[in-house]
Amino acid sequence: MSNYFNTLPLREQLNQLGVCDFMDSAEFLDGVNVLKGKKLVIVGCGAQGLNQGLNLRDSGLDVSYTLRAAAIEGKRDSWKNATDNNFTVGTYEELIPTADVVINLTPDKQHTAVVTAIMPLMKKGATLLYSHGFNIVEEGMQIRKDITVIMVAPKCPGSEVRAEYVRGFGVPTLIAVHPENDPEGKGLAQAKAYCVGTGGHRAGVLKSSFVAEVKSDLMGEQTILCGLLQTGSILSFDKMVEKGIDAGYASKLVQYGVEVITEALKHGGVTGMMDRLSNPAKIKAFEISEELKNIMRPLFQKHQDDIMSGEFSSTMMADWAAGDKNLLAWRAATGETAFEKTPAGDVKIAEQEYFDNYTLMVAFVRAGVELAFETMVQAGIKPESAYYESLHETPLIANTIARKKLFEMNRVISDTAEYGCYLFDQACKPLLADFMTKVDTDLVGKNFNEGKDGGVDNRTLIAINEALRTHEVEVIGTKLRKAMTAMKSIKTA
Amino acid sequence: MSQPVVHIANLNLKYQQKPVLQDLNWTINRYENWLLCGTSGSGKTSLAKAIAGVDHSYGNIKIEFNAQSNLPATVYYVANWFQFKDLEGQSNFYYQQRYNKQSTETTATVKAELESFGKKNALQFNEVDSILAALGFSELKHSTLIQLSSGEHKKLQLVKAIWLKPQLLILDLPYNGLDTLSRQNLNTLLEEISEAGTQLILISNDEELPSCLNRFAVIKEGQLVEISADERTGNEFDTLDQAVPAFLAEATVASSSAEIIKMIDVNVSYGDKRVLKNINWEVKAGEKWVLQGHNGSGKSTLLSLICGDHPQAYANNFHLFGNKRGSGESIWEIKERIGLISPELHWYFDPSATVFQSIMSGFYDSSGLFCDPGYSKKIQTDELVSYFGLDEYKNTLMNELPLGKQRLALLARTIVKNPELLILDEPCQGLDQQQTKHFNRLVDGLCKNGTTLIYVGHFESQLPACIEKRILLENGAVKSVENILENVENEASIENVENFEY
């Protein structure tokens, strides 16, 4: 198997990277009809598998689960998830041959093994559905020519997929059809119907391609989503401790701050987040985030270049082959950082205090979101795709940090994201060493406004507001957020 | 004269820029137990929270604890609304999540929760069992928090409060969702702890109250007004006492099937625990039912099957609107025909929707509004906004309103589409008696045109007149099914059956 993207001529590479269509709700008027009466068999029953299946069944579709024989015999969690909710469960041999649509919701790393096992069992003309394109694009998995290959990727954790569905809404979703495997031309109609079945059509659907999804997804998760949040959190904590701020307070500010700050990002974009600062703090945050963008731009570009060339995935797959040597070492090191080992103190921090005392993180988030977005768009990815993989997902990842810090974040995200995150973090910390020596507690740990009179220069403020509001990520974000206005706010105690 | 326990001087409180309490004065002396009643939105909860130190107050509240007492020198507040957290400290749960099984437990068990509460407050563990038994909670010790119904969460709060025996205990609408026996037992427990030295402030508009209450008050125009024991009837300005809105009264409700519900040996169990046992039940189009049973008898589970909220519906022989469940229908096609209100629907309802959006979302059975419904639906919604007396709050967010007003908005949501099946699960929680009476009269009016009704209510005196059949559950099984005849002669027999109820 060889990297699919690299086998394509430039023309076709650009063509597939550029598939990006924010679909009108009128495109979904046929509902789930295309899949009515068809047999849907889901491989794997983790959080995504279970919750998507519950939604699909509640939409009137015929859903069952297939698991490896060992998981059934051992009555593992995946088996319990499916049987406790009264789904039929069977082995690959029992269920795959009956399936009209096989939904592969196993972890990325298992895709080659799983798809190799199920493909010979699939009936002629069936459909194989992925929720991430890594296996097709980076590993170059070849699917039998009679099989239709589609992707439906809800852009939220599994529990949210269910929670939003039961209240009559859904989560933003990305769909795609693999151009090499659409022999009957039914791929798009099936992907749309599946999307209706999970409720995604109510919250905005982006038609993308396997290629665009993979190249933007990898970029987002390595840089702004996981990488930069990890680097920023660790540097902020260390700085506060160095400057004599109480370690318990510092730990709490960092653990929950990123969630509170990105909650503002979720509702109002970069503008909404920056508007939570006082005027002098906003000007300062703008200035240092400009500086951060300049420092980190080459690193963001290197990540995007390695993703495009396939360098990233081949390096990572080599680590898979080596028994995850690097991944495990980096994971262990993350567990040993002072931030991870210092429990959040028993202090009350008011919502606004997270902004006023953690201006540095606001600057990190603005720099990271804009840089990731700009770098993706420069590489040929469309703004809508770039938005989902940068700004949109940042609050979701921040939520995992609030739950149990970085270790939890890295446990929840995919192995691919985790690997990329460490890669970025290793390179980014030394890059920011000089910058961090200039940072003091007014930016992290204490109220920025303390001892200042709050006055600002009108023209400076106007220019900064203008720069923030007219950035392309804000323009496209305003449009996309309208489609998902009702998204529930995530609450942490 | 004894030293005052609580002394409030010139307390001012604002809620959303509107003054709620204005120069309020209140002195609570030792051995006094107060009842605080009155209209929704008058400031009862705000005052309670201020005393409990939950909210910032702008005035002067002094609490003098009794140094000689061996009871904890603290004010404990049991809120009318409650939250619980998972093991990671989050309270991010969703509607009917408890029916969707996940293999990994994310919430603590009741036992673990009580143990940590007991340890934190240095309580005697041998005391808790009798409280659990009195409130019918013993069997739930091994349940996890996510599995509890809203009524059961309420009871858990009460168990903790009574176990703690604080010097001052404030209970905000403690009877909501409790069955008759639990209410009686709660009153006995409250009388006992009051005897032992706990002073009570009880917020309630209910009739049957503990005998230890000796002072009574309402809040009027931001001030506390003391009243006598028999003055405490609801006198809220009430627009519900009008004819049914025309767009609802005139429409005949067409039933999509002669048989609305048919359950054959329906079972629901979680592991070894059987929650519903061989339920057989038929509801024909146009019938008006009351569903009764003690807390934990299986009422909510039974209704969740009907409303498309329970996964085990797919594993049972169960017909809804003439179709077998799991034969290709979606839950949205089912919900389209049902108007539902329940404590849990209220608990999980989108708090960031406005009153207008919330009512209109009834057309789509969603929690919050996600599309533009067009002109005629907006007009109908407006009519209901006025009918329920909510004009002033039309664009107010749900979470900025007191519970009683939220409840009125959700009742309007329930009927806005004039559904063929109305499921009203304790619809009048949080309303006063007058409002309850009027709402039930509205239900009678609505049901004239062929609507099928399933009504859950613990009190016979608070049911709509149109009820003609009763199904009674006990420990997950049908205990009895009977006709209730609509004439004077039989009113006596209805009274008799009241004793029947748990």
Side-chain angles (χ1 to χ4, degrees):
Chain A
M1 294 192 301
S2 61
N3 187 305
Y4 167 70
F5 186 67
N6 290 351
T7 64
L8 299 174
L10 176 63
R11 166 181 10 92
E12 188 55 23
Q13 286 181 337
L14 292 174
N15 189 21
Q16 292 196 29
L17 274 176
V19 180
C20 181
D21 171 21
F22 191 68
M23 299 177 83
D24 192 278
S25 56
E27 299 234 34
F28 297 91
L29 291 176
D30 196 36
V32 295
N33 285 337
V34 172
L35 293 176
K36 263 245 155 108
K38 298 259 190 293
K39 252 194 134 25
L40 275 58
V41 175
I42 300 178
V43 191
C45 195
Q48 281 293 344
L50 172 62
N51 288 301
Q52 288 188 31
L54 285 166
N55 291 1
L56 293 163
R57 179 171 64 179
D58 279 346
S59 295
L61 298 175
D62 177 358
V63 179
S64 46
Y65 287 85
T66 184
L67 304 171
R68 283 173 300 130
I72 297 173
E73 281 156 20
K75 302 197 170 181
R76 303 238 177 101
D77 281 354
S78 55
W79 179 84
K80 272 190 239 153
N81 278 342
T83 48
D84 284 353
N85 290 292
N86 303 94
F87 286 106
T88 304
V89 182
T91 60
Y92 293 173
E93 289 73 18
E94 286 163 352
L95 291 184
I96 298 287
T98 68
D100 298 296
V101 182
V102 177
I103 297 122
N104 175 18
L105 294 176
T106 58
D108 296 351
K109 212 186 267 183
Q110 296 171 19
H111 280 189
T112 296
V114 167
V115 173
T116 310
I118 60 178
M119 200 164 28
L121 299 168
M122 285 176 70
K123 71 180 177 194
K124 192 167 181 294
T127 297
L128 177 61
L129 185 149
Y130 283 91
S131 64
H132 182 36
F134 191 87
N135 186 235
I136 295 286
V137 176
E138 300 292 321
E139 297 186 87
M141 172 60 76
Q142 298 291 314
I143 308 295
R144 227 170 58 206
K145 282 298 158 201
D146 61 292
I147 294 175
T148 302
V149 176
I150 60 178
M151 174 169 22
V152 179
K155 294 271 115 194
C156 274
S159 55
E160 291 287 304
V161 172
R162 183 65 179 156
E164 291 297 330
Y165 180 85
V166 295
R167 74 186 199 107
F169 197 49
V171 305
T173 302
L174 201 146
I175 64 175
V177 180
H178 188 36
E180 313 293 334
N181 282 85
D182 193 16
E184 302 165 42
K186 66 183 179 190
L188 182 61
Q190 287 190 336
K192 286 198 295 188
Y194 188 94
C195 201
V196 174
T198 57
H201 67 301
R202 298 195 191 96
V205 179
L206 187 70
K207 187 165 80 184
S208 180
S209 68
F210 275 66
V211 164
E213 187 270 340
V214 169
K215 299 298 186 186
S216 58
D217 182 73
L218 290 174
M219 178 62 186
E221 67 194 18
Q222 294 178 9
T223 56
I224 168 62
L225 300 179
C226 310
L228 189 62
L229 293 187
Q230 169 150 349
T231 305
S233 296
I234 292 173
L235 291 179
S236 299
F237 178 82
D238 291 348
K239 172 59 70 179
M240 281 188 273
V241 172
E242 174 203 321
K243 295 283 180 183
I245 306 269
D246 174 67
Y249 178 85
S251 176
K252 181 157 187 181
L253 187 71
V254 172
Q255 180 172 354
Y256 297 102
V258 68
E259 180 182 60
V260 175
I261 289 167
T262 57
E263 183 71 16
L265 182 78
K266 178 168 88 184
H267 291 287
V270 174
T271 307
M273 175 181 72
M274 296 288 281
D275 284 351
R276 291 298 307 266
L277 299 173
S278 69
N279 287 329
K282 186 200 270 184
I283 291 173
K284 184 69 179 172
F286 181 84
E287 287 166 2
I288 59 173
S289 55
E290 287 293 297
E291 193 181 344
L292 283 167
K293 281 176 81 173
N294 287 332
I295 299 171
M296 296 190 296
R297 187 169 283 113
L299 181 61
F300 275 64
Q301 288 170 344
K302 179 181 185 326
H303 275 262
Q304 185 70 77
D305 294 346
D306 287 350
I307 289 164
M308 285 297 179
S309 69
E311 170 68 18
F312 166 74
S313 56
S314 62
T315 314
M316 183 181 65
M317 285 188 280
D319 194 48
W320 292 359
D324 293 323
K325 187 168 162 288
N326 289 337
L327 182 80
L328 295 174
W330 290 331
R331 185 184 288 170
T334 302
E336 292 301 314
T337 57
F339 166 58
E340 207 65 27
K341 298 201 126 180
T342 309
D346 191 15
V347 276
K348 190 157 170 56
I349 304 182
E351 201 245 8
Q352 183 58 37
E353 189 177 337
Y354 281 110
F355 291 90
D356 294 337
N357 291 24
Y358 202 11
T359 310
L360 180 64
M361 183 49 77
V362 177
F364 268 124
V365 172
R366 184 227 160 196
V369 165
E370 290 191 359
L371 256 187
F373 180 87
E374 289 165 16
T375 313
M376 283 191 242
V377 171
Q378 282 163 5
I381 293 163
K382 293 288 181 215
E384 286 88 343
S385 309
Y387 174 86
Y388 275 115
E389 303 299 347
S390 56
L391 198 153
H392 170 74
E393 289 209 11
T394 307
L396 300 173
I397 302 293
N399 177 244
T400 65
I401 298 177
R403 283 163 65 193
K404 276 190 190 164
K405 302 193 171 179
L406 300 170
F407 184 79
E408 172 72 3
M409 172 187 84
N410 284 306
R411 190 184 65 79
V412 170
I413 60 180
S414 69
D415 282 359
T416 317
E418 186 181 2
Y419 185 90
C421 165
Y422 297 143
L423 216 55
F424 178 91
D425 183 45
Q426 306 285 320
C428 192
K429 274 200 209 116
L431 214 54
L432 293 175
D434 275 352
F435 169 85
M436 285 305 293
T437 59
K438 295 179 291 174
V439 171
D440 208 340
T441 49
D442 59 339
L443 288 178
V444 55
K446 291 189 179 157
N447 192 330
F448 181 82
N449 305 301
E450 219 170 79
K452 299 188 177 70
D453 67 2
V456 292
D457 176 60
N458 280 318
R459 282 170 304 176
T460 312
L461 184 66
I462 289 164
I464 284 173
N465 280 336
E466 176 82 1
L468 291 171
R469 282 159 175 62
T470 54
H471 192 281
E472 204 179 358
V473 77
E474 291 299 277
V475 177
I476 196 73
T478 306
K479 177 182 143 196
L480 296 179
R481 279 194 299 274
K482 257 189 201 138
M484 43 179 155
T485 41
M487 282 192 72
K488 197 177 65 170
S489 54
I490 292 170
K491 291 180 218 81
T492 308
Chain B
M1 199 182 137
S2 62
Q3 193 71 13
V5 176
V6 181
H7 185 72
I8 302 174
N10 301 324
L11 178 68
N12 286 290
L13 260 186
K14 281 185 180 174
Y15 187 72
Q16 316 285 347
Q17 266 82 49
K18 277 186 220 157
V20 180
L21 305 180
Q22 287 173 295
D23 293 325
L24 181 138
N25 295 300
W26 191 10
T27 300
I28 301 177
N29 296 299
R30 226 167 279 298
Y31 311 117
E32 285 179 358
N33 296 307
W34 285 76
L35 177 79
L36 199 52
C37 50
T39 59
S40 165
S42 60
K44 304 186 294 292
T45 299
S46 302
L47 178 58
K49 284 184 175 170
I51 298 172
V54 177
D55 274 351
H56 305 287
S57 53
Y58 307 92
N60 212 349
I61 302 180
K62 271 197 210 120
I63 300 180
E64 206 77 43
F65 291 107
N66 181 355
Q68 268 78 53
S69 169
N70 46 15
L71 300 180
T74 180
V75 185
Y76 192 79
Y77 172 63
V78 176
N80 52 15
W81 208 236
F82 46 91
Q83 286 279 331
F84 61 101
K85 288 172 186 165
D86 66 16
L87 295 170
E88 290 168 352
Q90 293 208 314
S91 42
N92 216 10
F93 303 101
Y94 60 84
Y95 176 64
Q96 304 298 31
Q97 182 176 357
R98 63 199 186 106
Y99 298 130
N100 298 311
K101 293 286 137 193
Q102 299 264 347
S103 56
T104 40
E105 288 303 348
T106 54
T107 54
T109 61
V110 167
K111 192 161 173 275
E113 175 77 11
L114 286 172
E115 274 167 7
S116 93
F117 182 80
K119 214 176 273 171
K120 198 174 135 200
N121 296 291
L123 301 176
Q124 298 295 318
F125 278 87
N126 54 10
E127 286 176 10
V128 74
D129 284 327
S130 61
I131 305 172
L132 290 171
L135 292 179
F137 214 79
S138 307
E139 283 195 15
L140 293 166
K141 262 179 112 166
H142 299 286
S143 301
T144 54
L145 297 181
I146 182 80
Q147 289 171 330
L148 302 184
S149 70
S150 55
E152 289 162 347
H153 274 291
K154 184 94 212 181
K155 279 189 184 174
L156 183 56
Q157 312 266 96
L158 293 169
V159 168
K160 286 182 184 170
I162 291 164
W163 191 20
L164 179 66
K165 295 191 202 66
Q167 289 197 14
L168 182 60
L169 174 59
I170 307 176
L171 301 169
D172 198 347
L173 302 181
Y175 301 103
N176 276 3
L178 297 198
D179 57 30
T180 316
L181 185 66
S182 300
R183 289 174 193 226
Q184 287 165 2
N185 289 348
L186 174 63
N187 284 344
T188 311
L189 289 170
L190 291 177
E191 284 153 16
E192 282 169 17
I193 61 168
S194 138
E195 192 73 18
T198 293
Q199 287 187 253
L200 301 174
I201 300 175
L202 202 148
I203 301 174
S204 172
N205 283 316
D206 284 274
E207 300 257 279
E208 292 159 38
L209 298 165
S211 57
C212 57
L213 295 177
N214 45 26
R215 303 287 295 268
F216 305 87
V218 292
I219 300 176
K220 254 193 200 136
E221 288 158 16
Q223 310 253 336
L224 193 90
V225 181
E226 182 155 12
I227 54 172
S228 70
D230 19 305
E231 269 180 287
R232 49 185 185 82
T233 42
N235 51 358
E236 180 148 7
F237 171 69
D238 193 350
T239 57
L240 278 181
D241 193 19
Q242 309 165 13
V244 181
F247 79 97
L248 292 175
E250 287 162 6
T252 18
V253 177
S255 298
S256 47
S257 155
E259 201 158 58
I260 302 289
I261 298 166
K262 185 177 184 183
M263 294 185 171
I264 303 164
D265 285 330
V266 163
N267 284 286
V268 169
S269 46
Y270 309 127
D272 298 335
K273 192 178 162 199
R274 292 182 69 193
V275 180
L276 289 180
K277 302 165 191 167
N278 302 321
I279 303 284
N280 288 286
W281 188 26
E282 284 181 38
V283 173
K284 298 205 165 55
E287 288 181 344
K288 327 289 180 208
W289 284 81
V290 60
L291 165 63
Q292 291 183 318
H294 59 93
N295 289 142
S297 60
K299 299 186 300 292
S300 316
T301 309
L302 188 70
L303 295 179
S304 73
L305 287 170
I306 299 167
C307 298
D309 291 330
H310 203 302
Q312 294 197 28
Y314 296 100
N316 274 296
N317 190 355
F318 160 37
H319 294 250
L320 206 51
F321 304 108
N323 300 313
K324 187 169 187 303
R325 272 298 269 128
S327 58
E329 77 291 343
S330 86
I331 59 168
W332 305 108
E333 287 160 3
I334 292 169
K335 287 174 186 286
E336 206 178 356
R337 298 169 180 180
I338 300 175
L340 168 71
I341 180 113
S342 69
E344 282 180 68
L345 184 119
H346 189 163
W347 193 21
Y348 287 102
F349 200 82
D350 182 3
S352 64
T354 65
V355 163
F356 188 72
Q357 289 168 333
S358 302
I359 297 175
M360 203 146 47
S361 73
F363 285 112
Y364 307 96
D365 314 300
S366 54
S367 169
L369 188 69
F370 310 114
C371 52
D372 185 349
Y375 182 72
S376 71
K377 289 191 170 111
K378 283 183 186 161
I379 295 296
Q380 293 176 347
T381 305
D382 268 334
E383 251 186 81
L384 281 187
V385 168
S386 299
Y387 185 81
F388 280 88
L390 293 166
D391 292 287
E392 188 187 337
Y393 310 104
K394 183 177 161 183
N395 296 313
T396 309
L397 301 185
M398 289 290 268
N399 61 5
E400 292 175 354
L401 287 175
L403 277 189
K405 299 271 187 257
Q406 291 180 20
R407 180 49 70 119
L408 289 177
L410 291 181
L411 288 172
R413 175 187 182 272
T414 307
I415 61 170
V416 69
K417 67 180 170 185
N418 207 13
E420 61 176 285
L421 173 59
L422 264 181
I423 298 184
L424 307 175
D425 182 356
E426 302 196 40
C428 298
Q429 264 190 16
L431 303 190
D432 65 30
Q433 311 227 348
Q434 198 67 15
Q435 288 175 310
T436 301
K437 222 168 88 191
H438 291 158
F439 177 73
N440 284 339
R441 206 179 300 150
L442 170 65
V443 171
D444 285 331
L446 279 176
C447 286
K448 273 185 194 142
N449 301 323
T451 311
T452 309
L453 172 69
I454 301 174
Y455 195 105
V456 178
H458 286 295
F459 287 108
E460 301 295 333
S461 57
Q462 295 174 11
L463 295 178
C466 65
I467 298 290
E468 50 189 23
K469 283 170 170 254
R470 176 205 317 271
I471 175 167
L472 179 65
L473 296 186
E474 185 180 274
N475 299 323
V478 177
K479 173 147 188 187
S480 66
V481 170
E482 61 192 332
N483 289 313
I484 305 172
L485 295 174
E486 282 180 276
N487 54 44
V488 189
E489 199 181 319
N490 278 281
E491 225 155 66
S493 76
I494 295 175
E495 293 299 317
N496 285 337
V497 198
E498 196 166 350
N499 305 325
F500 228 71
E501 212 244 312
Y502 287 73

